[in-house]
Amino acid sequence: MIFLERHKIKRNEMEEFIMKKLLVLMMALAMTLSLAACGGGKTETPASAPAPTPATAERKDNVTPEQAAAIADIMGKMGPLYNEAAEAASKNGWDKEETAVQELNMVYAIMDSARVGLEEIDGYGDTSTEEIDTVVAQYQVVLDEMPNLVAKYSEPYSK
């Protein structure tokens, strides 16, 4: 019986450690994106010309079409997982736990940064193509972690 209790404590400590690491990763990604978003200036289009959309206009940042497609694909998959995690967290009482709220808010901020980055012609500013590759890889890490968050928040919260 004592062994089981010690094992349970170690498992809880390990889960907490993993969640802290995930939170740190998401915060680092959000900081990277906020720096990238601050790079470029906006240009005004004449009132008589229709405003180009990022899909039809040539981008004025260093995002390649392949990178933009990868970001859009990742965010398209992340959105439903985020909604599922947020709904499960609310339903199962996780909204009372500060770390859970911070995790979900961080995922939302990451998705919002990606949306703004893709919607603006110069959304990623002066960020280099190599740095955008890093951002895409970080988005993928967050996406890969989302099923774990959904599973965690699908369980009833107990403190």
Side-chain angles (χ1 to χ4, degrees), residues 17-150:
F17 176 77
I18 290 170
M19 295 314 296
K20 285 180 182 177
K21 291 294 182 182
L22 177 62
L23 181 62
V24 168
L25 175 66
M26 287 189 281
M27 291 172 71
L29 180 59
M31 288 174 35
T32 301
L33 293 175
S34 66
L35 289 173
C38 293
K42 295 190 178 214
T43 58
E44 296 294 324
T45 57
S48 61
T53 63
T56 60
E58 184 177 326
R59 295 192 64 92
K60 294 185 180 178
D61 56 17
N62 295 318
V63 178
T64 66
E66 294 81 17
Q67 290 170 324
I71 292 170
D73 180 57
I74 291 169
M75 291 304 132
K77 293 173 183 174
M78 193 179 300
L81 289 170
Y82 168 81
N83 290 337
E84 186 178 349
E87 189 174 306
S90 180
K91 176 182 171 189
N92 292 308
W94 284 93
D95 52 351
K96 298 174 186 90
E97 210 275 316
E98 185 178 339
T99 303
V101 173
Q102 289 174 348
E103 288 170 346
L104 290 170
N105 285 343
M106 189 61 64
V107 172
Y108 182 83
I110 289 167
M111 292 184 340
D112 194 48
S113 295
R115 179 189 56 77
V116 170
L118 290 177
E119 285 180 354
E120 299 291 328
I121 292 173
D122 60 349
Y124 286 96
D126 294 331
T127 307
S128 72
T129 301
E130 292 79 21
E131 291 170 327
I132 297 295
D133 283 337
T134 302
V135 169
V136 171
Q138 290 173 336
Y139 285 155
Q140 186 62 51
V141 168
V142 174
L143 175 62
D144 292 343
E145 193 58 35
M146 287 304 296
N148 295 333
L149 287 179
V150 170

Side-chain angles (χ1 to χ4, degrees), residues 5-20:
E5 289 298 318
R6 284 180 46 194
H7 179 68
K8 186 176 181 180
I9 290 171
K10 286 186 178 186
R11 181 173 180 229
N12 289 340
E13 289 173 356
M14 182 58 78
E15 287 177 356
E16 184 178 324
F17 176 77
I18 290 170
M19 295 314 296
K20 285 180 182 177

